[in-house]
Amino acid sequence: MSSLYSYDNHLPSQLDPDCTYPTIFTLHGKGSNEQDMFGVVGPLSEEFIIIGIRGDLPMSGGFQYYELKSLGNPLREQFDRSIEQLQAFVQYATDKYPVDPSKRYFLGFSQGAILSMSLALTLGNQLKGIVALNGYVPDFVKTEYALQSTEDVSVFISHGEYDSVFPVSIGHETAAYFQTRTSHSTFKTYPTDHGVSPDNQRDVLQWLREDAGISSKM
């Protein structure tokens, strides 16, 4: 099996060949690349496998996973294909690397957050959790996709209070939706625009360590 995406892989430097590791799959925003979100989760690189997945569509010197007809309105065919390919990528990486299948996470920003939340709904308990930074769930995912149980999926959603791309009201609506689907849901806002603040990063790192059962080194 080969990967349908280019990706950046970070294995712990003191890798134990007899162990499997919690793994974070990162998904970037529009126009960025597979290295972008490593800046957020890099401090976890000795405790987690971190795999940055590059969108397969070029855009403005970077990449995206799908195009938009309008803001908040993905091209459905491309979006559906991305979900299918990302699901396949999870299995590809689990077969290729010492990934602990009981501790697989997606972490995404903006377009990557949208995909991460959609993958939580379609993969269900095949994931341990997701981190969604400044995103939303498309309506067609909620109403037309075959949704899996997410009761045991841990969800961290954050949003900028002054987000000029997706208003913070969208973050509140998205968090309320997941609170009906899992009892393991955290929602936080930060006094930022469409980005990830140092406080946001600190909380994400702490949440991931705690959820994966790793003692903090911070």
Side-chain angles (χ1 to χ4, degrees):
M1 183 179 181
S2 60
S3 169
L4 297 170
Y5 289 103
S6 297
Y7 64 95
D8 196 24
N9 186 39
H10 297 267
L11 298 173
S13 61
Q14 303 297 320
L15 194 71
D16 184 338
D18 297 322
C19 291
T20 56
Y21 291 82
T23 300
I24 305 167
F25 299 95
T26 70
L27 300 175
H28 58 78
K30 288 176 58 179
S32 191
N33 60 48
E34 70 278 16
Q35 299 176 6
D36 184 49
M37 300 313 294
F38 186 74
V40 175
V41 293
L44 300 176
S45 60
E46 290 303 318
E47 301 140 321
F48 289 74
I49 295 172
I50 300 172
I51 302 176
I53 306 171
R54 180 199 294 176
D56 55 347
L57 300 175
M59 179 196 175
S60 303
F63 300 89
Q64 60 184 335
Y65 303 94
Y66 58 84
E67 296 173 293
L68 297 172
K69 289 185 282 187
S70 59
L71 186 63
N73 189 16
L75 282 174
R76 178 66 183 271
E77 182 177 347
Q78 292 181 352
F79 190 93
D80 291 349
R81 185 202 66 214
S82 294
I83 292 295
E84 292 174 5
Q85 291 184 175
L86 288 166
Q87 290 173 338
F89 186 92
V90 171
Q91 190 58 54
Y92 159 81
T94 301
D95 291 341
K96 185 174 178 64
Y97 301 105
V99 170
D100 182 343
S102 71
K103 293 183 179 180
R104 297 184 294 203
Y105 296 85
F106 269 94
L107 177 147
F109 172 74
S110 194
Q111 187 175 97
I114 294 165
L115 288 168
S116 294
M117 289 187 280
S118 299
L119 286 162
L121 294 168
T122 56
L123 287 172
N125 296 332
Q126 293 181 58
L127 298 181
K128 178 66 173 71
I130 62 161
V131 174
L133 310 168
N134 297 68
Y136 66 93
V137 181
D139 286 338
F140 64 78
V141 172
K142 298 177 185 177
T143 59
E144 299 178 34
Y145 273 30
L147 304 185
Q148 304 300 310
S149 171
T150 52
E151 175 52 39
D152 295 328
V153 179
S154 301
V155 176
F156 182 104
I157 296 171
S158 67
H159 215 94
E161 294 171 8
Y162 310 111
D163 192 323
S164 56
V165 179
F166 304 136
V168 68
S169 60
I170 290 176
H172 286 280
E173 292 169 5
T174 303
Y177 174 75
F178 273 99
Q179 285 164 3
T180 69
R181 298 190 56 88
T182 175
S183 56
H184 311 287
S185 179
T186 298
F187 176 57
K188 297 196 174 195
T189 61
Y190 300 88
T192 60
D193 194 345
H194 194 65
V196 181
S197 70
D199 286 346
N200 194 171
Q201 179 191 25
R202 178 203 64 214
D203 291 344
V204 164
L205 297 177
Q206 180 179 347
W207 183 88
L208 282 164
R209 284 192 172 108
E210 290 178 353
D211 194 76
I214 296 170
S215 60
S216 177
K217 297 181 180 179
M218 295 178 71

